[in-house]
Amino acid sequence: MTNEPLLLTRRDPARNMARFYVLTVEPDLFDGAALTRNWGRIGTKGRFRIDLFGSRQDAERRFLALVRSKVKRGYQPREGTG
């Protein structure tokens, strides 16, 4: 897995819905990893959260679980990213 961000979007014009969800796993300063998340309505800054993990494998496991959850809810990977 690379450090490239993964952009997921969900659009439903009938419900006036246009959302984004960005995930990335990056190394931290203490030989662990940080999972960063940014989400909200397209066109806004949205909300931001950083979760710290003791190992990159733990962070990637959570990353994949979040991606599966978002895809189930209708989010799609944006073409040309991740």
Side-chain angles (χ1 to χ4, degrees):
M1 184 174 279
T2 67
N3 290 347
E4 291 293 318
L6 175 64
L7 171 61
L8 303 167
T9 59
R10 180 178 177 191
R11 296 174 185 260
D12 185 352
R15 295 172 53 194
N16 193 27
M17 182 188 301
R19 298 181 182 165
F20 71 92
Y21 206 92
V22 181
L23 294 155
T24 186
V25 174
E26 301 172 0
D28 70 5
L29 297 175
F30 307 105
D31 290 331
L35 171 63
T36 60
R37 299 188 259 173
N38 180 222
W39 70 94
R41 184 167 175 82
I42 293 174
T44 67
K45 289 191 296 186
R47 298 182 67 182
F48 191 80
R49 178 174 173 166
I50 299 173
D51 295 313
L52 301 176
F53 294 86
S55 71
R56 183 167 181 90
Q57 291 80 14
D58 291 341
E60 288 176 353
R61 203 175 356 249
R62 181 69 177 134
F63 176 97
L64 294 173
L66 285 166
V67 170
R68 280 192 301 272
S69 171
K70 294 302 172 187
V71 168
K72 277 186 182 179
R73 296 192 68 192
Y75 284 80
Q76 298 295 320
R78 180 81 187 259
E79 293 299 319
T81 63

Coordinates of all heavy atoms in Angstrom, one line a residue:
M1 N 0.8 -1.2 0.0 CA 0.0 0.0 0.0 C 0.9 1.2 0.0 O 1.9 1.3 0.7 CB -0.9 0.0 1.2 CG -1.9 1.1 1.3 SD -3.0 0.9 2.7 CE -4.2 -0.2 2.0
T2 N 0.5 2.2 -0.8 CA 1.3 3.5 -0.9 C 0.8 4.5 0.1 O -0.3 4.3 0.7 CB 1.3 4.0 -2.3 OG1 -0.1 4.4 -2.6 CG2 1.7 3.0 -3.3
N3 N 1.4 5.6 0.2 CA 1.0 6.8 1.0 C 0.0 7.7 0.2 O -0.3 8.7 0.7 CB 2.2 7.6 1.5 CG 3.0 6.9 2.5 OD1 2.6 5.8 3.0 ND2 4.2 7.4 2.8
E4 N -0.4 7.3 -1.0 CA -1.3 8.1 -1.8 C -2.7 8.1 -1.1 O -3.2 7.1 -0.7 CB -1.4 7.5 -3.2 CG -0.2 7.6 -4.0 CD 0.1 9.0 -4.4 OE1 -0.8 9.8 -4.7 OE2 1.3 9.4 -4.3
P5 N -3.3 9.3 -1.1 CA -4.7 9.4 -0.5 C -5.7 8.6 -1.4 O -5.5 8.6 -2.7 CB -5.0 10.9 -0.5 CG -3.8 11.5 -1.2 CD -2.8 10.6 -1.5
L6 N -6.7 8.1 -0.8 CA -7.8 7.4 -1.6 C -9.0 8.3 -1.4 O -9.4 8.6 -0.3 CB -8.1 6.1 -1.0 CG -9.3 5.4 -1.6 CD1 -9.1 5.1 -3.1 CD2 -9.6 4.1 -0.9
L7 N -9.5 8.8 -2.5 CA -10.7 9.7 -2.5 C -11.9 8.9 -2.9 O -12.0 8.3 -4.0 CB -10.5 10.8 -3.5 CG -11.7 11.7 -3.8 CD1 -12.2 12.4 -2.5 CD2 -11.4 12.7 -4.9
L8 N -12.9 8.9 -2.0 CA -14.2 8.2 -2.3 C -15.3 9.3 -2.4 O -15.2 10.3 -1.6 CB -14.6 7.3 -1.2 CG -13.6 6.2 -0.9 CD1 -13.9 5.5 0.4 CD2 -13.5 5.1 -2.0
T9 N -16.2 9.2 -3.3 CA -17.3 10.1 -3.4 C -18.6 9.4 -3.5 O -18.7 8.3 -3.9 CB -17.1 11.0 -4.7 OG1 -17.1 10.2 -5.8 CG2 -15.9 11.9 -4.6
R10 N -19.6 10.2 -3.0 CA -21.0 9.6 -3.1 C -21.9 10.8 -3.5 O -22.0 11.8 -2.9 CB -21.4 9.1 -1.7 CG -22.8 8.6 -1.7 CD -23.1 8.1 -0.3 NE -24.5 7.6 -0.2 CZ -25.1 7.3 0.9 NH1 -24.5 7.4 2.1 NH2 -26.4 6.9 0.9
R11 N -22.6 10.6 -4.6 CA -23.5 11.6 -5.2 C -24.9 11.0 -5.4 O -25.0 9.9 -6.0 CB -22.9 12.1 -6.5 CG -21.6 12.9 -6.4 CD -21.1 13.2 -7.7 NE -19.8 13.8 -7.6 CZ -19.5 15.1 -7.7 NH1 -20.5 16.0 -7.8 NH2 -18.3 15.6 -7.5
D12 N -25.9 11.8 -5.0 CA -27.3 11.4 -5.3 C -28.0 12.7 -5.5 O -28.5 13.3 -4.5 CB -27.9 10.6 -4.1 CG -29.3 10.1 -4.4 OD1 -29.9 10.5 -5.4 OD2 -29.8 9.4 -3.6
P13 N -28.2 13.2 -6.7 CA -28.8 14.5 -7.0 C -30.3 14.5 -6.5 O -30.7 15.5 -6.1 CB -28.8 14.6 -8.5 CG -27.7 13.7 -9.0 CD -27.6 12.6 -8.0
A14 N -31.0 13.4 -6.5 CA -32.4 13.4 -6.1 C -32.5 13.7 -4.6 O -33.5 14.3 -4.2 CB -33.0 12.0 -6.3
R15 N -31.4 13.4 -3.8 CA -31.4 13.7 -2.4 C -30.5 14.9 -2.1 O -30.2 15.2 -0.9 CB -30.9 12.5 -1.6 CG -31.9 11.4 -1.7 CD -31.4 10.1 -1.1 NE -31.0 10.2 0.3 CZ -30.2 9.3 0.9 NH1 -29.9 8.2 0.3 NH2 -29.9 9.6 2.2
N16 N -30.0 15.6 -3.1 CA -29.1 16.7 -3.0 C -27.9 16.3 -2.1 O -27.4 17.1 -1.3 CB -29.8 17.9 -2.3 CG -29.0 19.2 -2.4 OD1 -28.2 19.4 -3.3 ND2 -29.2 20.1 -1.5
M17 N -27.3 15.2 -2.5 CA -26.2 14.6 -1.7 C -24.9 14.6 -2.6 O -25.0 14.1 -3.7 CB -26.5 13.2 -1.3 CG -25.4 12.5 -0.5 SD -25.6 10.8 -0.2 CE -27.1 10.8 0.7
A18 N -23.9 15.2 -2.1 CA -22.6 15.2 -2.7 C -21.5 15.2 -1.6 O -21.2 16.2 -1.1 CB -22.4 16.5 -3.6
R19 N -21.0 14.0 -1.3 CA -20.1 13.8 -0.2 C -18.8 13.3 -0.7 O -18.7 12.6 -1.7 CB -20.7 12.9 0.8 CG -22.0 13.4 1.4 CD -22.5 12.4 2.4 NE -23.7 12.9 2.9 CZ -24.6 12.2 3.6 NH1 -24.3 10.9 3.8 NH2 -25.7 12.7 4.1
F20 N -17.7 13.5 0.1 CA -16.4 13.0 -0.1 C -15.9 12.4 1.1 O -16.3 12.7 2.2 CB -15.4 14.1 -0.6 CG -15.0 15.1 0.4 CD1 -13.9 14.9 1.2 CD2 -15.8 16.2 0.6 CE1 -13.5 15.8 2.1 CE2 -15.4 17.1 1.6 CZ -14.3 16.9 2.3
Y21 N -14.9 11.5 1.0 CA -14.2 10.8 2.1 C -12.8 10.5 1.6 O -12.6 9.8 0.6 CB -14.9 9.5 2.5 CG -14.7 9.1 3.9 CD1 -15.6 9.5 4.9 CD2 -13.7 8.3 4.3 CE1 -15.5 9.1 6.2 CE2 -13.5 7.9 5.6 CZ -14.4 8.3 6.5 OH -14.2 7.9 7.8
V22 N -11.8 11.1 2.2 CA -10.4 10.9 1.9 C -9.7 10.1 3.0 O -9.8 10.6 4.1 CB -9.7 12.2 1.6 CG1 -8.3 12.0 1.1 CG2 -10.5 13.0 0.5
L23 N -9.0 9.1 2.6 CA -8.2 8.3 3.6 C -6.7 8.2 3.1 O -6.5 8.1 2.0 CB -8.7 6.9 3.6 CG -10.1 6.7 4.2 CD1 -10.8 5.4 3.6 CD2 -10.1 6.6 5.7
T24 N -5.8 8.2 4.1 CA -4.4 8.0 3.8 C -3.7 7.4 5.1 O -4.1 7.7 6.2 CB -3.7 9.3 3.3 OG1 -2.4 8.9 2.9 CG2 -3.6 10.3 4.4
V25 N -2.7 6.6 4.8 CA -1.9 6.0 5.9 C -0.5 6.6 5.7 O 0.1 6.5 4.6 CB -1.9 4.5 5.9 CG1 -0.9 3.9 6.9 CG2 -3.3 3.9 6.1
E26 N 0.0 7.2 6.8 CA 1.3 7.8 6.7 C 2.2 7.4 7.9 O 1.6 7.1 9.0 CB 1.2 9.3 6.7 CG 0.4 9.8 5.5 CD 0.1 11.3 5.6 OE1 0.5 12.0 6.6 OE2 -0.6 11.8 4.7
P27 N 3.5 7.3 7.8 CA 4.3 7.0 9.0 C 4.2 8.2 10.0 O 4.1 9.3 9.6 CB 5.7 6.9 8.4 CG 5.7 7.6 7.1 CD 4.3 7.5 6.6
D28 N 4.3 7.8 11.3 CA 4.4 8.8 12.3 C 5.9 8.9 12.8 O 6.8 8.3 12.3 CB 3.4 8.6 13.4 CG 3.7 7.4 14.3 OD1 4.8 6.8 14.1 OD2 2.9 7.1 15.2
L29 N 6.1 9.7 13.8 CA 7.5 9.9 14.3 C 8.0 8.8 15.2 O 9.1 8.8 15.6 CB 7.6 11.3 15.0 CG 7.3 12.5 14.2 CD1 7.3 13.8 15.0 CD2 8.3 12.6 13.0
F30 N 7.1 7.9 15.6 CA 7.5 6.9 16.6 C 7.4 5.5 16.1 O 7.0 4.6 16.8 CB 6.6 7.1 17.8 CG 6.6 8.5 18.3 CD1 5.5 9.4 18.1 CD2 7.7 9.0 19.0 CE1 5.5 10.7 18.6 CE2 7.7 10.3 19.5 CZ 6.6 11.2 19.2
D31 N 7.8 5.3 14.8 CA 7.8 3.9 14.2 C 6.4 3.3 14.2 O 6.2 2.1 14.1 CB 8.7 3.0 14.9 CG 10.2 3.4 14.7 OD1 10.4 3.9 13.6 OD2 11.0 3.1 15.5
G32 N 5.4 4.1 14.2 CA 4.0 3.7 14.0 C 3.4 4.2 12.7 O 4.2 4.5 11.8
A33 N 2.1 4.4 12.7 CA 1.5 4.9 11.5 C 0.3 5.7 11.9 O -0.3 5.5 13.0 CB 1.0 3.8 10.6
A34 N -0.1 6.7 11.1 CA -1.2 7.5 11.3 C -2.2 7.3 10.2 O -1.8 7.4 9.0 CB -0.8 9.0 11.4
L35 N -3.5 7.1 10.5 CA -4.5 7.0 9.5 C -5.3 8.4 9.6 O -5.8 8.7 10.6 CB -5.5 5.9 9.9 CG -6.8 5.8 9.1 CD1 -6.5 5.6 7.6 CD2 -7.7 4.8 9.6
T36 N -5.2 9.1 8.5 CA -5.9 10.4 8.4 C -7.1 10.3 7.6 O -7.2 9.6 6.6 CB -5.0 11.5 7.8 OG1 -4.6 11.1 6.5 CG2 -3.7 11.7 8.6
R37 N -8.2 10.9 8.1 CA -9.5 10.9 7.4 C -10.0 12.3 7.3 O -9.8 13.1 8.2 CB -10.5 10.1 8.2 CG -10.1 8.7 8.4 CD -11.3 8.0 9.0 NE -11.1 7.8 10.5 CZ -12.0 7.3 11.3 NH1 -13.2 7.0 10.8 NH2 -11.8 7.1 12.5
N38 N -10.5 12.7 6.1 CA -11.1 13.9 5.9 C -12.4 13.6 5.1 O -12.4 12.9 4.1 CB -10.2 14.8 5.0 CG -10.8 16.2 4.7 OD1 -10.6 16.6 3.6 ND2 -11.4 16.8 5.6
W39 N -13.6 14.2 5.7 CA -14.8 13.9 5.0 C -15.8 15.1 5.2 O -15.6 15.9 6.0 CB -15.5 12.6 5.7 CG -15.9 12.8 7.1 CD1 -17.2 13.1 7.5 CD2 -15.2 12.7 8.3 NE1 -17.3 13.3 8.9 CE2 -16.0 13.0 9.4 CE3 -13.8 12.5 8.6 CZ2 -15.6 13.0 10.7 CZ3 -13.4 12.4 9.9 CH2 -14.3 12.7 10.9
G40 N -16.8 15.1 4.3 CA -17.8 16.2 4.3 C -18.5 16.3 3.0 O -18.4 15.5 2.1
R41 N -19.2 17.4 2.9 CA -19.8 17.8 1.6 C -18.8 18.3 0.6 O -17.9 19.1 1.0 CB -20.9 18.8 1.9 CG -21.8 19.1 0.7 CD -23.0 19.9 1.1 NE -23.7 20.4 -0.1 CZ -24.6 19.6 -0.8 NH1 -24.8 18.4 -0.4 NH2 -25.2 20.0 -1.8
I42 N -19.0 17.9 -0.6 CA -18.1 18.3 -1.7 C -18.2 19.9 -1.8 O -19.3 20.4 -1.8 CB -18.4 17.7 -3.0 CG1 -18.1 16.2 -2.9 CG2 -17.6 18.3 -4.2 CD1 -18.5 15.3 -4.1
G43 N -17.0 20.5 -1.8 CA -17.0 22.0 -1.9 C -16.7 22.6 -0.5 O -16.6 23.9 -0.5
T44 N -16.7 21.8 0.5 CA -16.3 22.3 1.9 C -15.0 21.7 2.3 O -14.5 20.8 1.7 CB -17.4 22.0 2.9 OG1 -17.4 20.6 3.1 CG2 -18.8 22.4 2.4
K45 N -14.5 22.2 3.4 CA -13.2 21.7 4.0 C -13.5 20.4 4.7 O -12.7 19.5 4.8 CB -12.6 22.6 5.0 CG -12.0 23.8 4.4 CD -11.1 24.6 5.3 CE -12.0 25.2 6.5 NZ -11.2 26.0 7.4
G46 N -14.7 20.2 5.2 CA -15.1 19.0 5.8 C -14.5 18.9 7.2 O -13.9 19.8 7.7
R47 N -14.6 17.7 7.8 CA -14.0 17.4 9.1 C -12.8 16.6 8.9 O -12.6 15.9 7.8 CB -15.0 16.6 9.9 CG -16.3 17.4 10.2 CD -17.2 16.6 11.0 NE -16.6 16.5 12.4 CZ -17.2 15.9 13.3 NH1 -18.4 15.3 13.2 NH2 -16.6 15.8 14.5
F48 N -11.9 16.6 9.9 CA -10.6 15.9 9.8 C -10.3 15.1 11.1 O -10.6 15.6 12.2 CB -9.5 17.0 9.6 CG -8.2 16.4 9.2 CD1 -7.9 16.1 7.9 CD2 -7.2 16.3 10.1 CE1 -6.7 15.6 7.5 CE2 -6.0 15.8 9.8 CZ -5.7 15.4 8.5
R49 N -9.8 13.9 10.9 CA -9.4 13.1 12.1 C -8.1 12.3 11.8 O -7.9 11.9 10.7 CB -10.6 12.2 12.4 CG -10.3 11.2 13.5 CD -11.5 10.4 13.8 NE -11.2 9.4 14.9 CZ -12.0 8.7 15.5 NH1 -13.3 8.9 15.3 NH2 -11.6 7.9 16.4
I50 N -7.3 12.2 12.8 CA -6.1 11.4 12.8 C -6.1 10.3 13.8 O -6.4 10.7 15.0 CB -4.8 12.3 13.0 CG1 -4.7 13.4 11.9 CG2 -3.6 11.4 13.0 CD1 -3.6 14.3 12.1
D51 N -6.0 9.1 13.4 CA -5.9 8.0 14.4 C -4.5 7.4 14.3 O -4.0 7.1 13.3 CB -6.9 6.9 14.0 CG -8.3 7.3 14.1 OD1 -8.7 7.9 15.2 OD2 -9.1 7.1 13.2
L52 N -3.9 7.2 15.5 CA -2.5 6.7 15.6 C -2.5 5.2 15.9 O -3.3 4.8 16.7 CB -1.7 7.5 16.7 CG -1.6 9.0 16.4 CD1 -0.9 9.6 17.6 CD2 -0.9 9.3 15.1
F53 N -1.6 4.5 15.3 CA -1.5 3.0 15.4 C -0.1 2.7 15.7 O 0.8 3.3 15.3 CB -2.0 2.3 14.2 CG -3.5 2.5 13.9 CD1 -3.9 3.6 13.2 CD2 -4.4 1.6 14.4 CE1 -5.3 3.8 12.9 CE2 -5.7 1.7 14.1 CZ -6.2 2.8 13.4
G54 N 0.1 1.6 16.4 CA 1.5 1.1 16.8 C 2.2 0.5 15.6 O 3.5 0.5 15.6
S55 N 1.5 0.1 14.6 CA 2.2 -0.4 13.4 C 1.4 -0.1 12.1 O 0.2 0.2 12.2 CB 2.3 -2.0 13.5 OG 1.0 -2.5 13.3
R56 N 2.2 -0.1 11.0 CA 1.5 0.2 9.7 C 0.5 -0.8 9.4 O -0.5 -0.5 8.8 CB 2.6 0.3 8.6 CG 2.0 0.7 7.3 CD 3.1 1.1 6.3 NE 2.5 1.5 5.1 CZ 2.2 2.7 4.8 NH1 2.4 3.7 5.6 NH2 1.6 3.0 3.6
Q57 N 0.7 -2.1 9.7 CA -0.3 -3.1 9.4 C -1.6 -2.9 10.1 O -2.6 -3.1 9.5 CB 0.3 -4.5 9.9 CG 1.4 -5.0 9.0 CD 2.8 -4.4 9.5 OE1 2.9 -3.8 10.5 NE2 3.8 -4.5 8.6
D58 N -1.6 -2.4 11.4 CA -2.8 -2.1 12.1 C -3.5 -0.9 11.4 O -4.8 -1.0 11.3 CB -2.5 -1.7 13.5 CG -2.0 -2.9 14.4 OD1 -2.3 -4.1 13.9 OD2 -1.5 -2.7 15.4
A59 N -2.8 0.1 11.0 CA -3.4 1.2 10.3 C -4.0 0.8 9.0 O -5.1 1.2 8.6 CB -2.4 2.3 10.1
E60 N -3.3 0.0 8.2 CA -3.8 -0.5 6.9 C -5.0 -1.4 7.1 O -6.0 -1.3 6.3 CB -2.7 -1.2 6.2 CG -1.7 -0.3 5.7 CD -0.5 -1.0 5.0 OE1 -0.5 -2.3 5.0 OE2 0.4 -0.3 4.4
R61 N -5.1 -2.2 8.2 CA -6.2 -3.0 8.4 C -7.5 -2.1 8.7 O -8.6 -2.4 8.2 CB -5.9 -3.9 9.7 CG -6.8 -5.1 9.7 CD -6.4 -6.0 10.9 NE -5.2 -5.7 11.6 CZ -4.0 -6.3 11.6 NH1 -3.9 -7.3 10.9 NH2 -3.0 -5.9 12.4
R62 N -7.3 -1.1 9.5 CA -8.4 -0.1 9.7 C -8.8 0.6 8.4 O -10.0 0.9 8.2 CB -8.0 0.8 10.8 CG -9.1 1.8 11.2 CD -10.3 1.1 11.9 NE -11.2 2.1 12.2 CZ -12.5 2.0 12.0 NH1 -13.0 0.9 11.5 NH2 -13.4 3.0 12.4
F63 N -7.8 1.0 7.7 CA -8.0 1.7 6.4 C -8.9 0.8 5.5 O -9.9 1.3 5.0 CB -6.7 1.9 5.7 CG -6.7 2.5 4.3 CD1 -6.5 3.8 4.1 CD2 -6.9 1.7 3.2 CE1 -6.6 4.4 2.8 CE2 -6.9 2.2 1.9 CZ -6.7 3.6 1.7
L64 N -8.6 -0.5 5.3 CA -9.4 -1.3 4.5 C -10.8 -1.6 5.1 O -11.8 -1.6 4.3 CB -8.7 -2.7 4.3 CG -7.4 -2.6 3.5 CD1 -6.7 -3.9 3.6 CD2 -7.6 -2.1 2.1
A65 N -10.9 -1.6 6.4 CA -12.3 -1.8 7.0 C -13.1 -0.5 6.7 O -14.3 -0.7 6.4 CB -12.1 -2.0 8.5
L66 N -12.5 0.6 6.8 CA -13.3 1.9 6.5 C -13.7 1.9 5.0 O -14.8 2.3 4.7 CB -12.4 3.1 6.8 CG -12.4 3.4 8.3 CD1 -11.3 4.4 8.6 CD2 -13.7 3.9 8.8
V67 N -12.8 1.5 4.1 CA -13.1 1.5 2.7 C -14.3 0.6 2.4 O -15.2 0.9 1.7 CB -11.9 1.1 1.8 CG1 -12.3 0.9 0.4 CG2 -10.8 2.2 1.9
R68 N -14.2 -0.6 3.0 CA -15.3 -1.6 2.8 C -16.7 -1.0 3.3 O -17.7 -1.1 2.6 CB -15.1 -2.9 3.5 CG -14.1 -3.8 2.8 CD -14.1 -5.2 3.4 NE -13.7 -5.2 4.8 CZ -12.4 -5.3 5.2 NH1 -11.4 -5.4 4.3 NH2 -12.1 -5.3 6.5
S69 N -16.6 -0.4 4.4 CA -17.8 0.2 5.0 C -18.4 1.3 4.1 O -19.6 1.4 3.9 CB -17.5 0.8 6.4 OG -18.5 1.5 6.9
K70 N -17.5 2.2 3.6 CA -18.0 3.3 2.8 C -18.5 2.8 1.5 O -19.5 3.3 0.9 CB -16.8 4.3 2.6 CG -16.4 5.0 3.8 CD -17.6 5.7 4.5 CE -17.2 6.3 5.8 NZ -18.4 6.9 6.5
V71 N -17.9 1.8 0.9 CA -18.4 1.2 -0.4 C -19.7 0.6 -0.2 O -20.6 0.8 -1.1 CB -17.3 0.2 -1.0 CG1 -17.9 -0.5 -2.1 CG2 -16.1 1.0 -1.4
K72 N -20.0 0.0 0.9 CA -21.3 -0.6 1.2 C -22.4 0.5 1.3 O -23.5 0.3 0.9 CB -21.3 -1.3 2.6 CG -20.8 -2.7 2.5 CD -21.0 -3.4 3.8 CE -20.5 -4.8 3.8 NZ -20.6 -5.4 5.2
R73 N -22.0 1.7 1.7 CA -22.9 2.8 1.8 C -23.1 3.6 0.6 O -23.8 4.6 0.5 CB -22.4 3.7 3.0 CG -22.5 3.0 4.3 CD -22.3 3.9 5.4 NE -23.5 4.8 5.5 CZ -23.6 5.9 6.3 NH1 -22.5 6.3 7.0 NH2 -24.7 6.6 6.3
G74 N -22.4 3.2 -0.5 CA -22.6 3.8 -1.8 C -21.4 4.7 -2.3 O -21.5 5.3 -3.3
Y75 N -20.4 4.8 -1.5 CA -19.2 5.6 -2.0 C -18.5 4.9 -3.1 O -18.4 3.6 -3.0 CB -18.3 5.9 -0.8 CG -18.7 7.0 0.2 CD1 -19.7 6.7 1.1 CD2 -18.3 8.3 0.1 CE1 -20.1 7.6 2.0 CE2 -18.7 9.2 1.0 CZ -19.6 8.9 1.9 OH -20.1 9.9 2.8
Q76 N -17.9 5.6 -4.0 CA -17.2 5.0 -5.1 C -15.8 5.7 -5.2 O -15.7 6.9 -5.0 CB -17.9 5.3 -6.5 CG -19.2 4.6 -6.5 CD -19.1 3.1 -6.5 OE1 -18.2 2.5 -7.1 NE2 -20.1 2.5 -5.8
P77 N -14.7 4.9 -5.5 CA -13.4 5.5 -5.7 C -13.4 6.5 -6.8 O -14.1 6.2 -7.9 CB -12.5 4.3 -6.0 CG -13.2 3.1 -5.5 CD -14.7 3.4 -5.6
R78 N -12.8 7.6 -6.7 CA -12.7 8.6 -7.7 C -11.7 8.1 -8.8 O -10.6 7.7 -8.4 CB -12.3 9.9 -7.1 CG -12.2 11.1 -8.1 CD -13.6 11.7 -8.4 NE -13.5 12.6 -9.4 CZ -13.5 13.9 -9.2 NH1 -13.6 14.4 -8.0 NH2 -13.4 14.8 -10.2
E79 N -12.0 8.2 -10.0 CA -11.1 7.8 -11.1 C -9.8 8.6 -11.0 O -9.8 9.8 -10.8 CB -11.8 8.0 -12.5 CG -12.9 7.1 -12.7 CD -12.6 5.6 -12.7 OE1 -11.5 5.2 -13.2 OE2 -13.4 4.8 -12.1
G80 N -8.7 7.9 -11.2 CA -7.4 8.5 -11.3 C -6.8 8.8 -9.9 O -5.8 9.4 -9.8
T81 N -7.4 8.2 -8.9 CA -6.8 8.3 -7.5 C -6.6 7.0 -6.9 O -7.1 6.0 -7.4 CB -7.7 9.1 -6.6 OG1 -8.9 8.4 -6.4 CG2 -7.9 10.5 -7.1
G82 N -5.8 6.9 -5.8 CA -5.6 5.7 -5.0 C -5.1 4.6 -5.9 O -5.1 3.5 -5.8

